[in-house]
Coordinates of all heavy atoms in Angstrom, one line a residue:
N1 N 16.3 -8.5 27.2 CA 15.7 -7.3 27.8 C 14.3 -7.2 27.4 O 13.9 -7.4 26.3 CB 16.6 -6.1 27.3 CG 16.2 -4.9 28.1 OD1 15.2 -4.7 28.6 ND2 17.2 -3.9 28.0
V2 N 13.4 -6.8 28.4 CA 12.0 -6.7 28.2 C 11.7 -5.6 27.2 O 10.8 -5.7 26.3 CB 11.3 -6.6 29.5 CG1 9.8 -6.3 29.3 CG2 11.5 -7.8 30.4
Y3 N 12.4 -4.5 27.4 CA 12.2 -3.3 26.5 C 12.4 -3.6 25.1 O 11.7 -3.2 24.2 CB 13.0 -2.1 27.0 CG 13.0 -1.0 26.1 CD1 11.9 -0.1 26.0 CD2 14.1 -0.7 25.2 CE1 11.9 1.0 25.1 CE2 14.1 0.4 24.4 CZ 13.0 1.2 24.3 OH 12.9 2.3 23.4
E4 N 13.5 -4.3 24.8 CA 13.9 -4.7 23.4 C 12.8 -5.6 22.8 O 12.5 -5.5 21.6 CB 15.3 -5.3 23.4 CG 16.4 -4.3 23.6 CD 17.7 -5.0 23.7 OE1 17.8 -6.2 23.6 OE2 18.7 -4.3 23.9
K5 N 12.3 -6.6 23.6 CA 11.3 -7.5 23.1 C 10.0 -6.7 22.8 O 9.4 -7.0 21.7 CB 11.0 -8.6 24.1 CG 12.1 -9.6 24.2 CD 11.7 -10.7 25.2 CE 12.8 -11.7 25.4 NZ 12.4 -12.7 26.3
Q6 N 9.6 -5.8 23.6 CA 8.4 -5.0 23.3 C 8.6 -4.1 22.1 O 7.7 -4.0 21.3 CB 8.1 -4.1 24.6 CG 7.6 -4.9 25.7 CD 7.4 -4.0 27.0 OE1 7.9 -2.9 27.0 NE2 6.6 -4.5 27.9
L7 N 9.8 -3.5 22.0 CA 10.1 -2.7 20.8 C 10.0 -3.5 19.5 O 9.4 -3.1 18.5 CB 11.4 -2.0 20.9 CG 11.8 -1.1 19.8 CD1 10.9 0.1 19.7 CD2 13.3 -0.6 20.0
L8 N 10.6 -4.7 19.6 CA 10.6 -5.6 18.4 C 9.1 -6.0 18.0 O 8.8 -6.0 16.9 CB 11.4 -6.8 18.6 CG 11.5 -7.8 17.4 CD1 12.2 -7.1 16.2 CD2 12.3 -9.0 17.8
T9 N 8.3 -6.3 19.1 CA 6.9 -6.6 18.8 C 6.2 -5.5 18.2 O 5.4 -5.7 17.2 CB 6.3 -7.0 20.2 OG1 6.9 -8.1 20.8 CG2 4.8 -7.4 19.9
I10 N 6.4 -4.3 18.6 CA 5.8 -3.1 18.0 C 6.2 -2.9 16.6 O 5.4 -2.6 15.7 CB 6.1 -1.8 18.9 CG1 5.3 -1.9 20.2 CG2 5.7 -0.5 18.1 CD1 5.8 -0.9 21.2
Q11 N 7.5 -3.1 16.3 CA 8.1 -2.9 15.0 C 7.4 -4.0 14.0 O 7.0 -3.6 12.9 CB 9.6 -3.1 15.0 CG 10.3 -1.9 15.6 CD 11.7 -2.2 15.9 OE1 12.2 -3.3 16.0 NE2 12.5 -1.1 15.9
L12 N 7.3 -5.2 14.5 CA 6.8 -6.3 13.7 C 5.3 -6.0 13.4 O 4.8 -6.4 12.3 CB 7.0 -7.6 14.3 CG 8.5 -8.1 14.3 CD1 8.7 -9.4 15.0 CD2 9.1 -8.1 12.9
I13 N 4.6 -5.5 14.4 CA 3.2 -5.2 14.2 C 3.0 -4.1 13.1 O 2.1 -4.2 12.3 CB 2.5 -4.7 15.5 CG1 2.3 -5.9 16.4 CG2 1.2 -4.0 15.3 CD1 1.9 -5.6 17.9
F14 N 3.9 -3.1 13.1 CA 3.8 -2.0 12.1 C 4.1 -2.6 10.7 O 3.4 -2.3 9.8 CB 4.8 -0.9 12.4 CG 4.3 0.1 13.3 CD1 4.9 0.3 14.6 CD2 3.2 0.9 13.0 CE1 4.4 1.3 15.5 CE2 2.7 1.9 13.9 CZ 3.3 2.1 15.1
I15 N 5.1 -3.5 10.6 CA 5.4 -4.1 9.3 C 4.2 -4.9 8.9 O 3.8 -4.9 7.7 CB 6.7 -4.9 9.4 CG1 7.9 -4.0 9.7 CG2 6.9 -5.8 8.2 CD1 9.2 -4.8 10.0
A16 N 3.7 -5.8 9.7 CA 2.6 -6.7 9.4 C 1.4 -5.9 9.0 O 0.7 -6.2 8.0 CB 2.3 -7.6 10.5
S17 N 1.1 -4.8 9.7 CA -0.2 -4.1 9.4 C 0.0 -3.4 8.0 O -1.0 -3.4 7.2 CB -0.5 -3.1 10.5 OG 0.5 -2.1 10.6
T18 N 1.1 -2.8 7.7 CA 1.3 -2.1 6.4 C 1.3 -3.1 5.3 O 0.7 -2.9 4.2 CB 2.5 -1.3 6.4 OG1 3.7 -2.1 6.7 CG2 2.4 -0.1 7.3
M19 N 1.9 -4.3 5.5 CA 1.9 -5.3 4.4 C 0.5 -5.9 4.2 O 0.1 -6.2 3.1 CB 2.9 -6.4 4.7 CG 4.4 -5.9 4.7 SD 4.9 -5.1 3.1 CE 5.1 -6.6 2.2
L20 N -0.3 -6.1 5.3 CA -1.6 -6.6 5.2 C -2.5 -5.6 4.5 O -3.4 -6.0 3.6 CB -2.2 -6.9 6.5 CG -1.7 -8.2 7.1 CD1 -2.2 -8.4 8.6 CD2 -2.2 -9.4 6.3
L21 N -2.4 -4.3 4.8 CA -3.1 -3.3 4.1 C -2.8 -3.2 2.6 O -3.7 -3.1 1.7 CB -2.9 -1.9 4.7 CG -3.6 -1.7 6.0 CD1 -3.1 -0.4 6.7 CD2 -5.1 -1.5 5.8
S22 N -1.5 -3.4 2.3 CA -1.1 -3.5 0.9 C -1.8 -4.7 0.2 O -2.3 -4.5 -0.9 CB 0.4 -3.6 0.8 OG 0.8 -3.8 -0.5
A23 N -1.7 -5.8 0.8 CA -2.2 -7.0 0.2 C -3.8 -6.9 0.0 O -4.3 -7.3 -1.0 CB -1.9 -8.3 1.0
Y24 N -4.4 -6.4 1.0 CA -5.9 -6.2 1.0 C -6.3 -5.3 -0.2 O -7.2 -5.6 -1.0 CB -6.4 -5.6 2.3 CG -7.8 -5.2 2.2 CD1 -8.8 -6.2 2.3 CD2 -8.2 -3.9 2.0 CE1 -10.2 -5.8 2.3 CE2 -9.6 -3.5 2.0 CZ -10.5 -4.5 2.1 OH -11.8 -4.1 2.0
N25 N -5.6 -4.2 -0.4 CA -5.9 -3.3 -1.5 C -5.6 -3.9 -2.9 O -6.4 -3.7 -3.8 CB -5.2 -2.0 -1.3 CG -5.9 -1.1 -0.3 OD1 -7.0 -0.7 -0.5 ND2 -5.3 -0.9 0.8
F26 N -4.5 -4.6 -3.0 CA -4.3 -5.3 -4.2 C -5.3 -6.4 -4.5 O -5.8 -6.5 -5.7 CB -2.9 -6.0 -4.2 CG -1.7 -5.1 -4.5 CD1 -0.7 -5.0 -3.7 CD2 -1.7 -4.4 -5.7 CE1 0.4 -4.2 -4.0 CE2 -0.6 -3.6 -6.0 CZ 0.4 -3.5 -5.2
L27 N -5.8 -7.1 -3.5 CA -6.8 -8.1 -3.7 C -8.1 -7.5 -4.1 O -8.9 -8.0 -4.9 CB -7.0 -9.0 -2.5 CG -5.8 -10.0 -2.2 CD1 -6.0 -10.6 -0.9 CD2 -5.8 -11.0 -3.4
Q28 N -8.5 -6.3 -3.5 CA -9.7 -5.6 -3.9 C -9.6 -5.2 -5.4 O -10.6 -5.2 -6.1 CB -9.9 -4.4 -3.0 CG -10.3 -4.8 -1.6 CD -11.6 -5.7 -1.5 OE1 -12.5 -5.4 -2.2 NE2 -11.5 -6.7 -0.8
G29 N -8.5 -4.7 -5.8 CA -8.3 -4.3 -7.2 C -8.5 -5.5 -8.1 O -9.2 -5.4 -9.2
V30 N -8.0 -6.6 -7.8 CA -8.1 -7.8 -8.6 C -9.6 -8.3 -8.6 O -10.1 -8.7 -9.6 CB -7.2 -9.0 -8.1 CG1 -7.5 -10.3 -8.7 CG2 -5.8 -8.6 -8.3
R31 N -10.2 -8.2 -7.4 CA -11.7 -8.6 -7.4 C -12.5 -7.7 -8.3 O -13.4 -8.2 -9.0 CB -12.1 -8.5 -5.9 CG -13.6 -8.8 -5.7 CD -14.1 -8.5 -4.3 NE -14.0 -7.1 -4.0 CZ -15.0 -6.2 -4.3 NH1 -16.0 -6.6 -5.0 NH2 -14.8 -5.0 -4.0
L32 N -12.2 -6.4 -8.2 CA -13.0 -5.5 -9.1 C -12.7 -5.8 -10.6 O -13.7 -5.7 -11.4 CB -12.6 -4.0 -8.8 CG -13.2 -3.5 -7.5 CD1 -12.6 -2.2 -7.1 CD2 -14.7 -3.4 -7.6
M33 N -11.5 -6.0 -10.9 CA -11.2 -6.3 -12.3 C -11.8 -7.6 -12.8 O -12.4 -7.7 -13.9 CB -9.6 -6.5 -12.5 CG -9.0 -5.4 -13.3 SD -7.3 -5.7 -13.8 CE -6.5 -5.6 -12.2
T34 N -11.8 -8.6 -11.9 CA -12.5 -9.9 -12.3 C -14.0 -9.6 -12.4 O -14.6 -10.2 -13.4 CB -12.2 -10.9 -11.2 OG1 -10.8 -11.1 -11.0 CG2 -12.8 -12.3 -11.6
H35 N -14.6 -8.9 -11.6 CA -16.0 -8.6 -11.6 C -16.3 -7.8 -12.9 O -17.3 -8.2 -13.6 CB -16.4 -7.7 -10.4 CG -17.8 -7.3 -10.4 ND1 -18.8 -8.2 -10.2 CD2 -18.4 -6.1 -10.6 CE1 -20.0 -7.6 -10.2 NE2 -19.8 -6.3 -10.5
A36 N -15.5 -6.9 -13.3 CA -15.7 -6.1 -14.5 C -15.6 -7.0 -15.8 O -16.3 -6.9 -16.7 CB -14.8 -4.9 -14.6
G37 N -14.7 -7.9 -15.7 CA -14.4 -8.8 -16.9 C -15.4 -9.9 -17.1 O -15.8 -10.2 -18.3
F38 N -16.0 -10.4 -16.0 CA -16.9 -11.6 -16.2 C -18.3 -11.2 -16.1 O -19.2 -11.9 -16.6 CB -16.6 -12.6 -15.1 CG -15.3 -13.3 -15.4 CD1 -14.2 -13.2 -14.5 CD2 -15.1 -14.1 -16.5 CE1 -13.1 -13.9 -14.7 CE2 -13.9 -14.8 -16.7 CZ -12.9 -14.7 -15.8
M39 N -18.7 -10.1 -15.4 CA -20.1 -9.8 -15.2 C -20.7 -8.9 -16.2 O -21.9 -8.8 -16.4 CB -20.2 -9.1 -13.8 CG -19.8 -10.0 -12.6 SD -20.7 -11.6 -12.5 CE -22.2 -11.0 -11.9
F40 N -19.8 -8.1 -16.8 CA -20.4 -7.1 -17.8 C -19.7 -7.3 -19.2 O -18.5 -7.6 -19.3 CB -20.0 -5.7 -17.4 CG -20.6 -5.3 -16.0 CD1 -19.9 -5.2 -14.9 CD2 -22.0 -5.0 -15.9 CE1 -20.4 -4.9 -13.7 CE2 -22.5 -4.7 -14.7 CZ -21.8 -4.6 -13.6
P41 N -20.5 -7.2 -20.2 CA -19.9 -7.3 -21.5 C -19.2 -6.0 -21.8 O -19.6 -4.9 -21.4 CB -21.1 -7.4 -22.5 CG -22.3 -6.9 -21.7 CD -22.0 -7.1 -20.2
V42 N -18.0 -6.1 -22.4 CA -17.2 -5.0 -22.7 C -17.7 -4.3 -24.0 O -17.8 -4.9 -25.0 CB -15.7 -5.4 -22.9 CG1 -14.9 -4.2 -23.2 CG2 -15.2 -6.1 -21.6
S43 N -18.1 -3.0 -23.8 CA -18.5 -2.2 -24.9 C -17.9 -0.8 -24.8 O -17.5 -0.4 -23.7 CB -20.0 -2.2 -25.1 OG -20.5 -1.4 -24.0
T44 N -17.9 -0.1 -25.9 CA -17.3 1.2 -25.8 C -18.2 2.3 -25.2 O -17.8 3.3 -24.8 CB -16.8 1.7 -27.2 OG1 -18.0 1.6 -28.1 CG2 -15.8 0.8 -27.8
T45 N -19.5 1.9 -25.1 CA -20.4 2.9 -24.6 C -20.8 2.7 -23.2 O -21.5 3.5 -22.6 CB -21.7 2.9 -25.5 OG1 -22.3 1.6 -25.4 CG2 -21.5 3.3 -26.9
D46 N -20.4 1.6 -22.6 CA -20.8 1.3 -21.2 C -19.9 2.0 -20.2 O -18.6 1.8 -20.3 CB -20.7 -0.2 -21.0 CG -21.4 -0.6 -19.7 OD1 -22.1 0.2 -19.1 OD2 -21.2 -1.8 -19.3
T47 N -20.4 2.7 -19.3 CA -19.6 3.4 -18.3 C -19.4 2.6 -17.0 O -18.6 3.0 -16.2 CB -20.2 4.8 -18.0 OG1 -21.6 4.6 -17.5 CG2 -20.3 5.7 -19.2
K48 N -20.2 1.6 -16.8 CA -20.1 0.8 -15.6 C -18.7 0.1 -15.5 O -18.1 0.1 -14.5 CB -21.2 -0.3 -15.5 CG -22.5 0.1 -15.0 CD -23.4 -1.1 -14.8 CE -24.7 -0.7 -14.1 NZ -25.6 -1.8 -14.0
V49 N -18.3 -0.4 -16.7 CA -17.0 -1.1 -16.7 C -15.9 -0.1 -16.5 O -14.9 -0.4 -15.7 CB -16.8 -1.9 -18.0 CG1 -15.4 -2.5 -18.1 CG2 -17.9 -3.0 -18.1
D50 N -16.0 1.1 -17.1 CA -15.0 2.1 -16.9 C -14.9 2.5 -15.4 O -13.8 2.7 -14.9 CB -15.3 3.4 -17.7 CG -15.1 3.1 -19.2 OD1 -14.4 2.2 -19.6 OD2 -15.8 3.8 -20.0
K51 N -16.0 2.7 -14.8 CA -16.0 3.1 -13.4 C -15.4 2.0 -12.5 O -14.6 2.3 -11.6 CB -17.5 3.3 -12.9 CG -17.6 3.7 -11.4 CD -19.0 3.9 -11.0 CE -19.1 4.2 -9.5 NZ -20.4 4.2 -9.0
I52 N -15.7 0.7 -12.8 CA -15.1 -0.4 -12.0 C -13.6 -0.5 -12.3 O -12.8 -0.7 -11.3 CB -15.8 -1.7 -12.3 CG1 -17.2 -1.7 -11.8 CG2 -15.0 -2.9 -11.7 CD1 -18.1 -2.9 -12.2
M53 N -13.2 -0.2 -13.5 CA -11.8 -0.3 -13.8 C -11.0 0.9 -13.1 O -9.9 0.7 -12.7 CB -11.5 -0.3 -15.3 CG -12.0 -1.6 -16.0 SD -11.3 -3.1 -15.3 CE -9.7 -3.0 -16.0
R54 N -11.6 2.0 -13.0 CA -11.0 3.1 -12.3 C -10.9 2.8 -10.8 O -9.8 3.1 -10.2 CB -11.8 4.4 -12.5 CG -11.4 5.1 -13.8 CD -12.0 6.5 -13.9 NE -13.4 6.6 -13.7 CZ -14.3 6.5 -14.7 NH1 -13.9 6.3 -15.9 NH2 -15.6 6.5 -14.5
Q55 N -11.9 2.2 -10.3 CA -11.8 1.8 -8.8 C -10.7 0.8 -8.6 O -10.0 0.8 -7.7 CB -13.1 1.2 -8.4 CG -14.2 2.2 -8.2 CD -15.6 1.6 -7.9 OE1 -15.8 0.4 -8.1 NE2 -16.5 2.3 -7.3
S56 N -10.6 -0.1 -9.6 CA -9.5 -1.2 -9.5 C -8.2 -0.5 -9.6 O -7.3 -0.9 -8.8 CB -9.7 -2.2 -10.7 OG -8.6 -3.0 -10.7
Q57 N -8.0 0.4 -10.5 CA -6.7 1.1 -10.6 C -6.4 1.9 -9.3 O -5.2 1.9 -8.8 CB -6.7 2.1 -11.7 CG -5.4 2.8 -12.0 CD -5.5 3.7 -13.2 OE1 -6.5 4.1 -13.6 NE2 -4.3 4.1 -13.7
N58 N -7.4 2.5 -8.7 CA -7.2 3.2 -7.4 C -6.8 2.3 -6.3 O -5.9 2.6 -5.5 CB -8.4 4.0 -7.0 CG -8.6 5.2 -7.9 OD1 -7.7 5.7 -8.5 ND2 -9.9 5.7 -7.9
C59 N -7.4 1.1 -6.3 CA -7.0 0.1 -5.3 C -5.6 -0.4 -5.5 O -4.9 -0.6 -4.5 CB -8.0 -1.1 -5.4 SG -9.6 -0.8 -4.7
Q60 N -5.2 -0.5 -6.7 CA -3.8 -1.0 -7.0 C -2.8 0.1 -6.5 O -1.8 -0.2 -6.0 CB -3.6 -1.3 -8.4 CG -4.4 -2.5 -8.8 CD -4.3 -2.8 -10.3 OE1 -3.6 -2.1 -11.1 NE2 -5.1 -3.7 -10.8
W61 N -3.1 1.4 -6.8 CA -2.2 2.5 -6.4 C -2.1 2.5 -4.8 O -1.1 2.8 -4.3 CB -2.7 3.8 -6.9 CG -2.1 4.1 -8.3 CD1 -2.8 4.1 -9.5 CD2 -0.8 4.4 -8.5 NE1 -1.9 4.4 -10.5 CE2 -0.6 4.6 -9.9 CE3 0.4 4.6 -7.8 CZ2 0.6 4.9 -10.5 CZ3 1.6 4.9 -8.4 CH2 1.6 5.1 -9.7
V62 N -3.3 2.4 -4.2 CA -3.3 2.4 -2.7 C -2.4 1.2 -2.2 O -1.6 1.4 -1.2 CB -4.7 2.4 -2.1 CG1 -4.7 2.2 -0.6 CG2 -5.4 3.7 -2.5
G63 N -2.6 0.0 -2.8 CA -1.8 -1.1 -2.4 C -0.3 -0.9 -2.6 O 0.5 -1.3 -1.7
L64 N 0.0 -0.3 -3.7 CA 1.4 0.0 -3.9 C 2.0 1.0 -2.9 O 3.1 0.9 -2.5 CB 1.6 0.5 -5.4 CG 3.0 0.6 -5.9 CD1 3.6 -0.8 -6.0 CD2 2.9 1.2 -7.3
R65 N 1.2 2.0 -2.6 CA 1.6 3.0 -1.6 C 1.8 2.4 -0.2 O 2.8 2.7 0.4 CB 0.6 4.1 -1.5 CG 0.8 5.1 -2.6 CD -0.1 6.3 -2.4 NE 0.1 7.2 -3.5 CZ 0.7 8.4 -3.4 NH1 1.1 8.8 -2.3 NH2 0.8 9.1 -4.5
W66 N 0.9 1.5 0.2 CA 1.1 0.8 1.5 C 2.4 0.0 1.5 O 3.1 -0.2 2.5 CB -0.1 0.0 1.9 CG -1.2 0.8 2.5 CD1 -2.4 1.1 2.0 CD2 -1.1 1.4 3.8 NE1 -3.1 1.8 2.9 CE2 -2.3 2.1 4.0 CE3 -0.1 1.5 4.8 CZ2 -2.6 2.8 5.1 CZ3 -0.4 2.3 5.9 CH2 -1.6 2.9 6.1
M67 N 2.6 -0.6 0.3 CA 3.9 -1.5 0.2 C 5.1 -0.6 0.4 O 6.1 -0.9 1.1 CB 3.9 -2.2 -1.1 CG 5.0 -3.2 -1.2 SD 4.9 -4.3 -2.6 CE 5.0 -3.1 -3.9
Y68 N 5.1 0.6 -0.3 CA 6.2 1.5 -0.1 C 6.3 2.1 1.3 O 7.4 2.2 1.8 CB 6.1 2.7 -1.1 CG 6.4 2.4 -2.5 CD1 5.6 3.0 -3.6 CD2 7.4 1.5 -2.9 CE1 5.9 2.7 -4.9 CE2 7.6 1.2 -4.2 CZ 6.9 1.8 -5.2 OH 7.1 1.5 -6.5
I69 N 5.2 2.3 1.9 CA 5.2 2.9 3.3 C 5.7 1.8 4.2 O 6.4 2.2 5.2 CB 3.8 3.3 3.7 CG1 3.4 4.6 2.9 CG2 3.6 3.5 5.2 CD1 2.0 5.1 3.1
S70 N 5.6 0.5 3.9 CA 6.1 -0.5 4.8 C 7.6 -0.5 4.8 O 8.2 -1.1 5.7 CB 5.6 -1.9 4.4 OG 6.2 -2.3 3.2
L71 N 8.3 0.2 3.9 CA 9.7 0.3 3.9 C 10.2 1.0 5.1 O 11.3 0.7 5.6 CB 10.3 0.9 2.6 CG 10.0 0.1 1.4 CD1 10.5 1.0 0.2 CD2 10.8 -1.2 1.4
G72 N 9.5 2.0 5.6 CA 9.8 2.7 6.8 C 10.0 1.8 8.0 O 11.1 1.8 8.7
P73 N 8.9 1.1 8.4 CA 9.1 0.2 9.6 C 10.1 -0.9 9.4 O 10.8 -1.3 10.3 CB 7.7 -0.4 9.7 CG 6.8 0.6 9.1 CD 7.5 1.2 8.0
I74 N 10.3 -1.4 8.1 CA 11.3 -2.4 7.9 C 12.7 -1.8 8.1 O 13.5 -2.4 8.8 CB 11.2 -2.9 6.4 CG1 9.9 -3.8 6.3 CG2 12.4 -3.8 6.0 CD1 9.6 -4.2 4.9
A75 N 12.9 -0.6 7.6 CA 14.2 0.1 7.9 C 14.4 0.3 9.4 O 15.5 0.2 9.9 CB 14.3 1.4 7.1
W76 N 13.3 0.7 10.1 CA 13.4 0.9 11.5 C 13.8 -0.4 12.3 O 14.7 -0.4 13.2 CB 12.1 1.4 12.0 CG 12.0 1.7 13.5 CD1 12.9 2.2 14.3 CD2 10.8 1.6 14.3 NE1 12.4 2.3 15.6 CE2 11.1 2.0 15.6 CE3 9.5 1.1 14.0 CZ2 10.2 1.9 16.6 CZ3 8.6 1.1 15.1 CH2 9.0 1.5 16.3
T77 N 13.2 -1.5 11.9 CA 13.5 -2.8 12.5 C 15.0 -3.2 12.2 O 15.7 -3.7 13.1 CB 12.5 -3.8 12.0 OG1 11.2 -3.4 12.3 CG2 12.8 -5.2 12.7
I78 N 15.4 -3.1 11.0 CA 16.7 -3.6 10.6 C 17.8 -2.6 11.0 O 18.8 -3.1 11.5 CB 16.7 -3.9 9.1 CG1 15.8 -5.0 8.7 CG2 18.2 -4.2 8.6 CD1 15.6 -5.2 7.3
G79 N 17.6 -1.3 10.8 CA 18.8 -0.4 10.9 C 18.6 0.6 12.1 O 19.6 1.3 12.3
G80 N 17.5 0.6 12.7 CA 17.3 1.6 13.8 C 16.7 2.9 13.4 O 16.2 3.1 12.3
G81 N 16.8 3.9 14.3 CA 16.2 5.2 14.1 C 16.7 6.0 12.9 O 16.0 6.6 12.2
W82 N 18.0 6.0 12.7 CA 18.6 6.8 11.6 C 18.2 6.2 10.3 O 18.0 7.0 9.3 CB 20.1 6.8 11.8 CG 20.5 7.8 12.9 CD1 21.0 7.4 14.1 CD2 20.4 9.2 12.9 NE1 21.2 8.5 14.9 CE2 20.9 9.6 14.2 CE3 20.0 10.1 12.0 CZ2 20.9 10.9 14.6 CZ3 20.0 11.5 12.4 CH2 20.5 11.8 13.7
S83 N 18.2 4.9 10.1 CA 17.8 4.4 8.8 C 16.3 4.6 8.6 O 15.9 4.8 7.5 CB 18.1 2.9 8.8 OG 17.4 2.2 9.7
F84 N 15.5 4.6 9.7 CA 14.1 5.0 9.5 C 13.9 6.4 9.1 O 13.1 6.7 8.2 CB 13.3 4.8 10.8 CG 11.9 5.2 10.8 CD1 10.9 4.5 10.1 CD2 11.5 6.4 11.4 CE1 9.6 5.0 10.0 CE2 10.2 6.9 11.4 CZ 9.3 6.1 10.7
L85 N 14.7 7.3 9.6 CA 14.7 8.7 9.2 C 15.1 8.9 7.7 O 14.4 9.6 7.0 CB 15.6 9.6 10.1 CG 15.7 11.0 9.8 CD1 14.3 11.7 10.0 CD2 16.8 11.7 10.6
L86 N 16.1 8.2 7.3 CA 16.5 8.2 6.0 C 15.5 7.7 5.0 O 15.2 8.3 4.0 CB 17.9 7.5 5.8 CG 18.4 7.4 4.4 CD1 18.8 8.8 3.9 CD2 19.6 6.5 4.3
A87 N 14.9 6.5 5.4 CA 13.8 5.9 4.6 C 12.6 6.8 4.5 O 12.0 7.0 3.4 CB 13.5 4.5 5.1
A88 N 12.3 7.4 5.6 CA 11.1 8.3 5.6 C 11.4 9.5 4.7 O 10.5 10.0 3.9 CB 10.8 8.8 7.0
M89 N 12.6 10.1 4.7 CA 12.9 11.2 3.9 C 12.9 10.9 2.4 O 12.4 11.6 1.6 CB 14.2 11.8 4.3 CG 14.1 12.5 5.7 SD 15.7 13.0 6.3 CE 16.1 14.4 5.3
L90 N 13.4 9.7 2.1 CA 13.4 9.2 0.7 C 12.0 8.9 0.2 O 11.7 9.2 -0.9 CB 14.3 8.0 0.6 CG 15.8 8.2 0.7 CD1 16.6 6.9 0.7 CD2 16.3 9.1 -0.4
L91 N 11.2 8.4 1.1 CA 9.8 8.1 0.7 C 9.1 9.4 0.5 O 8.2 9.5 -0.4 CB 9.1 7.2 1.7 CG 9.5 5.8 1.7 CD1 8.9 5.1 3.0 CD2 8.9 5.1 0.5
L92 N 9.3 10.4 1.3 CA 8.7 11.7 1.1 C 9.1 12.3 -0.2 O 8.2 12.8 -1.0 CB 9.1 12.6 2.2 CG 8.5 14.1 2.2 CD1 7.0 14.0 2.4 CD2 9.2 14.9 3.2
V93 N 10.3 12.3 -0.6 CA 10.8 12.8 -1.9 C 10.1 12.0 -3.0 O 9.7 12.5 -4.0 CB 12.3 12.8 -2.0 CG1 12.8 13.1 -3.4 CG2 12.9 13.7 -1.0
F94 N 10.1 10.7 -2.8 CA 9.5 9.8 -3.9 C 8.0 10.1 -4.1 O 7.6 10.3 -5.2 CB 9.7 8.3 -3.5 CG 9.0 7.4 -4.4 CD1 9.5 7.2 -5.7 CD2 7.9 6.7 -4.0 CE1 8.8 6.3 -6.6 CE2 7.3 5.8 -4.8 CZ 7.7 5.6 -6.1
F95 N 7.3 10.2 -3.0 CA 5.8 10.4 -3.1 C 5.5 11.8 -3.7 O 4.6 12.0 -4.4 CB 5.1 10.2 -1.8 CG 4.9 8.8 -1.4 CD1 5.2 8.3 -0.1 CD2 4.5 7.8 -2.3 CE1 5.0 7.0 0.2 CE2 4.3 6.5 -2.0 CZ 4.6 6.1 -0.7
R96 N 6.3 12.8 -3.3 CA 6.1 14.1 -3.9 C 6.4 14.1 -5.4 O 5.8 14.9 -6.1 CB 7.0 15.1 -3.1 CG 6.5 15.4 -1.7 CD 7.3 16.4 -1.1 NE 7.1 17.7 -1.8 CZ 6.8 18.8 -1.2 NH1 6.7 18.9 0.1 NH2 6.6 19.9 -1.9
S97 N 7.3 13.3 -5.8 CA 7.7 13.3 -7.2 C 6.6 12.6 -8.1 O 6.4 12.9 -9.2 CB 9.0 12.6 -7.5 OG 9.0 11.2 -7.2
I98 N 5.9 11.6 -7.5 CA 4.9 10.9 -8.3 C 3.5 11.4 -8.2 O 2.6 11.2 -9.0 CB 4.9 9.4 -8.0 CG1 4.4 9.1 -6.6 CG2 6.2 8.7 -8.3 CD1 4.2 7.6 -6.3
D99 N 3.3 12.2 -7.1 CA 1.9 12.8 -6.9 C 1.7 14.0 -7.9 O 2.6 14.7 -8.2 CB 1.8 13.4 -5.5 CG 1.5 12.3 -4.5 OD1 1.1 11.2 -5.0 OD2 1.7 12.5 -3.3
K100 N 0.5 14.0 -8.4 CA 0.2 15.1 -9.4 C -0.8 16.0 -8.8 O -1.6 15.7 -8.0 CB -0.3 14.5 -10.7 CG 0.8 13.6 -11.3 CD 0.3 13.0 -12.6 CE 1.4 12.2 -13.2 NZ 1.1 11.0 -13.7

């Protein structure tokens, strides 16, 4: 069926895009950490390294969030609309519990 093929294509695009965004943010975090470790001497008074490490931590959190968000489209592809609804509700509860 043409409709089912189009739906599967859309689902796979959503999964791929969220996973790519997750990987991109993780890689940016690693790049920043490597830059901070090799380019600057580590000292207790330097704020450049602290700023870069905070940016790296933020990139890692964003990457982790995109990875968690990808669970929604994965559930949609595997189990249909009801499993997507359940995954979305569980993710909402999860994100509300970890946000400060």
